[in-house]
Every structure is written in structure tokens, then in C-alpha cells.
């Protein structure tokens, strides 16, 4: 988040204390995190929605099995199905949460 704030200031021409900088940095970090961990999130959701389906596999190997199953059945692109909605949701959520938290933290000091 601090590095994202520096990048927003650098490329946007803002001072570091503006709400827009905090919101932009929150949006960037939320979107990046969501895009990076989207495949892991998909596997977690599949494991939670079908608990009995993978019961025959030992718990440490279930995650790897589900990854390989998804790729074998639908291709590696399936790991990123629904990515745009997840990235948009995470960007908006992180933007509002981080910007509000950072603003209130600076005002309380």
C-alpha cells in the first residue's frame, strides 16, 4: 500500500496526503491481490462447495488435486473464470477500506 501510494503520487501528480491518492492506491492493491490469488480462491470455493467429492484424497493433497482437475477438465483459463468481477469487487472494497482507515488514522494522530 505505501508503494502504491508513491506510484499514484508520482504518475498522477498528487500530493501524498489526498484522499484520491489513498483511494487509488487501495484500488491498485486490491485489484492486484485479487488477480494474483484468484486461482487459489477458486480452488478454495470448489473444495468448500463439494466437500464429499474430494474426501478420498488426503487433506494436504486436495488443493493440488483440485488445481490439476480444473486444468485437465477445462484448461488453465478456467482458473481465471470470473476474474473481472472479483478484481472489480476487490478494487472497490480495498479502495474504500484502506482510504477511510488511512484518512482516519492520520486525523486521530
Amino acid at each position: 500500500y505505501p508503494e502504491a501510494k508513491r506510484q499514484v503520487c508520482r504518475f498522477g501528480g498528487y500530493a501524498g496526503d489526498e484522499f484520491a491518492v489513498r483511494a487509488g492506491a487501495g484500488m491498485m492493491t486490491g485489484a492486484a491481490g485479487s488477480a494474483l490469488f484468484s486461482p487459489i480462491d477458486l480452488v478454495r470455493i470448489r473444495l468448500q462447495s463439494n466437500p464429499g467429492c474430494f474426501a478420498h484424497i488426503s487433506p494436504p493433497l486436495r488443493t493440488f488435486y483440485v488445481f490439476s482437475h480444473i486444468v485437465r477438465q477445462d484448461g488453465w483459463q478456467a482458473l481465471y473464470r470470473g476474474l473481472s468481477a472479483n478484481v472489480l469487487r476487490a478494487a472497490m472494497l480495498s479502495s474504500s477500506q484502506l482510504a477511510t482507515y488511512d484518512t482516519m488514522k492520520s486525523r486521530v494522530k
Side-chain angles (χ1 to χ4, degrees), residues 6-52:
R6 282 191 285 279
Q7 294 299 324
V8 170
C9 289
R10 183 173 157 214
F11 291 111
Y14 293 104
D17 213 18
E18 297 177 24
F19 188 81
V21 171
R22 294 174 176 147
M27 192 175 288
M28 287 171 50
T29 57
S34 178
L36 183 65
F37 291 105
S38 184
I40 295 169
D41 199 34
L42 175 71
V43 169
R44 180 184 58 83
I45 290 168
R46 292 264 178 108
L47 284 169
Q48 288 176 343
S49 64
N50 300 315

Coordinates of all heavy atoms in Angstrom, one line a residue, residues 6-52:
R6 N 3.0 5.9 -3.4 CA 4.1 6.6 -4.0 C 3.9 6.6 -5.5 O 4.1 7.6 -6.2 CB 5.4 6.0 -3.6 CG 5.9 6.4 -2.2 CD 7.3 6.0 -2.0 NE 7.5 4.6 -1.8 CZ 7.2 3.9 -0.6 NH1 6.9 4.6 0.4 NH2 7.4 2.6 -0.5
Q7 N 3.5 5.5 -6.1 CA 3.3 5.4 -7.5 C 2.1 6.3 -8.0 O 2.2 6.9 -9.0 CB 3.0 4.0 -8.0 CG 4.2 3.0 -7.8 CD 5.4 3.5 -8.5 OE1 5.3 4.0 -9.6 NE2 6.6 3.3 -7.9
V8 N 1.0 6.3 -7.2 CA -0.1 7.2 -7.6 C 0.3 8.7 -7.5 O 0.0 9.5 -8.4 CB -1.3 7.0 -6.7 CG1 -2.4 8.0 -6.8 CG2 -1.9 5.6 -6.9
C9 N 1.1 9.0 -6.5 CA 1.6 10.4 -6.4 C 2.5 10.7 -7.6 O 2.5 11.8 -8.2 CB 2.4 10.6 -5.1 SG 1.3 10.6 -3.7
R10 N 3.4 9.8 -7.9 CA 4.4 10.0 -9.0 C 3.7 10.2 -10.3 O 4.1 11.1 -11.1 CB 5.4 8.8 -9.0 CG 6.5 8.9 -10.0 CD 7.4 7.8 -9.8 NE 8.2 7.6 -11.0 CZ 8.6 6.4 -11.5 NH1 8.4 5.4 -10.8 NH2 9.2 6.3 -12.6
F11 N 2.8 9.3 -10.7 CA 2.2 9.3 -12.0 C 1.0 10.2 -12.1 O 0.6 10.7 -13.2 CB 1.9 7.9 -12.5 CG 3.1 7.1 -12.8 CD1 3.4 6.0 -11.9 CD2 3.9 7.4 -13.8 CE1 4.5 5.2 -12.2 CE2 5.0 6.6 -14.1 CZ 5.3 5.6 -13.2
G12 N 0.3 10.5 -11.0 CA -0.9 11.3 -11.0 C -0.6 12.8 -10.7 O -1.5 13.6 -10.8
G13 N 0.6 13.1 -10.2 CA 0.8 14.5 -9.8 C 0.2 14.9 -8.6 O -0.1 16.1 -8.4
Y14 N -0.2 14.0 -7.7 CA -0.8 14.4 -6.4 C 0.2 14.5 -5.3 O 1.3 14.0 -5.3 CB -1.8 13.3 -6.0 CG -3.0 13.1 -6.9 CD1 -3.0 12.1 -7.8 CD2 -4.1 14.0 -6.9 CE1 -4.1 11.9 -8.7 CE2 -5.1 13.8 -7.7 CZ -5.2 12.8 -8.6 OH -6.3 12.6 -9.4
A15 N -0.3 15.2 -4.3 CA 0.5 15.3 -3.0 C 0.1 14.0 -2.3 O -0.9 13.3 -2.5 CB 0.1 16.5 -2.2
G16 N 0.9 13.5 -1.3 CA 0.7 12.3 -0.7 C -0.4 12.2 0.3 O -0.8 11.1 0.8
D17 N -1.0 13.3 0.6 CA -2.0 13.3 1.7 C -3.4 13.4 1.2 O -4.3 13.6 2.1 CB -1.7 14.5 2.6 CG -2.0 14.3 4.1 OD1 -2.1 13.1 4.4 OD2 -2.1 15.2 4.8
E18 N -3.7 13.3 0.0 CA -5.0 13.5 -0.5 C -5.8 12.2 -0.5 O -5.2 11.1 -0.6 CB -5.0 14.0 -2.0 CG -4.4 15.4 -2.1 CD -4.3 15.8 -3.6 OE1 -5.0 15.3 -4.4 OE2 -3.4 16.6 -3.8
F19 N -7.1 12.3 -0.3 CA -8.0 11.1 -0.3 C -7.9 10.3 -1.6 O -7.9 9.1 -1.6 CB -9.4 11.5 0.1 CG -10.3 10.3 0.3 CD1 -10.3 9.7 1.6 CD2 -11.1 9.8 -0.7 CE1 -11.1 8.6 1.8 CE2 -11.9 8.7 -0.4 CZ -11.9 8.1 0.8
A20 N -7.8 11.0 -2.7 CA -7.8 10.4 -4.0 C -6.5 9.5 -4.1 O -6.6 8.4 -4.8 CB -7.8 11.4 -5.1
V21 N -5.4 9.9 -3.6 CA -4.2 9.1 -3.6 C -4.4 7.8 -2.8 O -4.1 6.7 -3.2 CB -3.0 9.8 -3.0 CG1 -1.8 8.9 -2.8 CG2 -2.7 11.0 -3.9
R22 N -5.0 7.9 -1.6 CA -5.3 6.7 -0.8 C -6.3 5.8 -1.5 O -6.1 4.6 -1.4 CB -5.8 7.2 0.6 CG -4.8 8.0 1.4 CD -5.4 8.5 2.6 NE -4.3 9.1 3.4 CZ -4.5 10.2 4.1 NH1 -5.7 10.7 4.2 NH2 -3.5 10.7 4.8
A23 N -7.3 6.3 -2.1 CA -8.3 5.5 -2.8 C -7.7 4.8 -4.0 O -7.9 3.6 -4.2 CB -9.5 6.4 -3.2
G24 N -6.9 5.6 -4.7 CA -6.2 5.0 -5.9 C -5.3 3.9 -5.5 O -5.2 2.8 -6.2
A25 N -4.5 4.1 -4.5 CA -3.6 3.1 -4.0 C -4.3 1.8 -3.5 O -3.9 0.7 -3.7 CB -2.7 3.6 -2.9
G26 N -5.4 2.1 -2.8 CA -6.2 0.9 -2.3 C -6.8 0.1 -3.4 O -6.9 -1.1 -3.4
M27 N -7.2 0.9 -4.5 CA -7.8 0.2 -5.6 C -6.7 -0.7 -6.3 O -7.0 -1.8 -6.7 CB -8.3 1.2 -6.6 CG -9.2 0.7 -7.7 SD -9.9 2.0 -8.7 CE -11.1 2.6 -7.6
M28 N -5.5 -0.1 -6.5 CA -4.4 -0.9 -7.1 C -4.1 -2.1 -6.3 O -3.9 -3.2 -6.9 CB -3.2 0.0 -7.3 CG -3.3 1.1 -8.3 SD -2.0 2.3 -8.3 CE -0.5 1.2 -8.3
T29 N -3.9 -2.0 -5.0 CA -3.5 -3.1 -4.2 C -4.6 -4.2 -4.2 O -4.3 -5.4 -4.2 CB -3.1 -2.7 -2.8 OG1 -4.2 -2.0 -2.2 CG2 -1.9 -1.8 -2.9
G30 N -5.9 -3.8 -4.1 CA -7.0 -4.7 -4.0 C -7.1 -5.5 -5.3 O -7.3 -6.7 -5.4
A31 N -7.0 -4.8 -6.5 CA -7.1 -5.4 -7.8 C -5.9 -6.4 -8.0 O -6.1 -7.5 -8.5 CB -7.1 -4.4 -8.9
A32 N -4.7 -6.0 -7.6 CA -3.5 -6.8 -7.8 C -3.6 -8.1 -7.0 O -3.3 -9.2 -7.4 CB -2.3 -6.1 -7.5
G33 N -4.0 -7.9 -5.7 CA -4.2 -9.1 -4.8 C -5.2 -10.1 -5.3 O -5.0 -11.3 -5.3
S34 N -6.3 -9.5 -5.8 CA -7.4 -10.4 -6.3 C -7.0 -11.1 -7.5 O -7.3 -12.3 -7.7 CB -8.6 -9.5 -6.5 OG -9.7 -10.3 -7.1
A35 N -6.3 -10.4 -8.4 CA -5.9 -11.1 -9.7 C -4.8 -12.2 -9.4 O -4.9 -13.2 -10.0 CB -5.3 -10.0 -10.6
L36 N -4.0 -11.9 -8.4 CA -2.9 -12.9 -8.1 C -3.5 -14.1 -7.5 O -3.0 -15.2 -7.8 CB -1.9 -12.2 -7.2 CG -0.7 -13.0 -6.8 CD1 0.2 -13.3 -8.0 CD2 0.2 -12.2 -5.8
F37 N -4.4 -14.0 -6.6 CA -4.9 -15.1 -5.8 C -6.2 -15.7 -6.3 O -6.8 -16.5 -5.6 CB -5.0 -14.7 -4.3 CG -3.7 -14.5 -3.7 CD1 -3.2 -13.2 -3.4 CD2 -2.9 -15.6 -3.4 CE1 -1.9 -13.1 -2.9 CE2 -1.6 -15.4 -2.9 CZ -1.1 -14.1 -2.6
S38 N -6.7 -15.2 -7.4 CA -7.9 -15.7 -8.0 C -8.0 -17.3 -8.2 O -9.0 -17.9 -7.8 CB -8.3 -15.0 -9.3 OG -9.5 -15.4 -9.8
P39 N -6.9 -17.9 -8.7 CA -7.0 -19.3 -8.9 C -7.0 -20.1 -7.5 O -7.8 -21.0 -7.4 CB -5.6 -19.7 -9.6 CG -5.3 -18.4 -10.3 CD -5.7 -17.3 -9.4
I40 N -6.4 -19.6 -6.5 CA -6.4 -20.2 -5.2 C -7.8 -20.0 -4.6 O -8.3 -20.9 -4.0 CB -5.3 -19.6 -4.3 CG1 -3.9 -19.9 -4.8 CG2 -5.4 -20.1 -2.9 CD1 -2.8 -19.2 -4.2
D41 N -8.4 -18.9 -4.8 CA -9.7 -18.6 -4.3 C -10.7 -19.6 -5.0 O -11.6 -20.1 -4.3 CB -10.1 -17.2 -4.5 CG -11.3 -16.7 -3.7 OD1 -11.4 -17.2 -2.6 OD2 -12.0 -15.8 -4.2
L42 N -10.6 -19.8 -6.3 CA -11.5 -20.7 -7.0 C -11.3 -22.1 -6.4 O -12.4 -22.8 -6.2 CB -11.1 -20.7 -8.5 CG -11.9 -21.7 -9.3 CD1 -13.3 -21.3 -9.5 CD2 -11.2 -21.9 -10.7
V43 N -10.1 -22.6 -6.2 CA -9.9 -23.9 -5.6 C -10.6 -24.0 -4.2 O -11.2 -25.0 -3.9 CB -8.4 -24.3 -5.6 CG1 -8.2 -25.5 -4.8 CG2 -7.9 -24.4 -7.0
R44 N -10.4 -23.0 -3.4 CA -11.0 -23.0 -2.1 C -12.5 -23.1 -2.2 O -13.1 -23.8 -1.4 CB -10.6 -21.7 -1.3 CG -11.2 -21.6 0.1 CD -10.8 -20.2 0.7 NE -11.3 -19.1 -0.1 CZ -12.5 -18.6 0.0 NH1 -13.4 -19.2 0.7 NH2 -12.9 -17.6 -0.8
I45 N -13.1 -22.3 -3.1 CA -14.6 -22.4 -3.2 C -15.0 -23.7 -3.7 O -16.0 -24.3 -3.2 CB -15.0 -21.3 -4.2 CG1 -14.8 -19.9 -3.5 CG2 -16.5 -21.5 -4.6 CD1 -15.0 -18.7 -4.5
R46 N -14.3 -24.4 -4.6 CA -14.6 -25.7 -5.1 C -14.6 -26.7 -4.0 O -15.4 -27.6 -3.9 CB -13.7 -26.1 -6.3 CG -13.9 -25.4 -7.5 CD -14.8 -26.1 -8.5 NE -15.0 -25.3 -9.7 CZ -14.5 -25.6 -10.9 NH1 -13.7 -26.7 -11.0 NH2 -14.7 -24.9 -11.9
L47 N -13.5 -26.6 -3.2 CA -13.4 -27.5 -2.0 C -14.5 -27.4 -1.0 O -15.0 -28.3 -0.5 CB -12.0 -27.4 -1.4 CG -10.8 -27.9 -2.1 CD1 -9.5 -27.5 -1.5 CD2 -10.9 -29.5 -2.1
Q48 N -14.9 -26.1 -0.8 CA -16.0 -25.9 0.2 C -17.4 -26.2 -0.3 O -18.2 -26.7 0.4 CB -16.0 -24.4 0.6 CG -14.8 -24.0 1.5 CD -14.7 -22.5 1.8 OE1 -15.4 -21.7 1.2 NE2 -14.0 -22.2 2.8
S49 N -17.6 -26.1 -1.6 CA -18.9 -26.3 -2.2 C -19.1 -27.8 -2.4 O -20.3 -28.2 -2.5 CB -19.1 -25.5 -3.4 OG -18.2 -25.9 -4.4
N50 N -18.1 -28.6 -2.6 CA -18.2 -30.0 -2.8 C -17.3 -30.8 -1.8 O -16.4 -31.5 -2.2 CB -17.7 -30.4 -4.2 CG -18.5 -29.7 -5.3 OD1 -19.7 -29.7 -5.2 ND2 -17.8 -29.2 -6.3
P51 N -17.7 -30.8 -0.5 CA -16.8 -31.4 0.5 C -16.7 -32.9 0.4 O -15.6 -33.4 0.6 CB -17.4 -31.0 1.8 CG -18.8 -30.6 1.5 CD -18.9 -30.2 0.1
G52 N -17.7 -33.6 0.0 CA -17.6 -35.0 -0.1 C -17.0 -35.5 -1.4 O -16.5 -36.7 -1.5

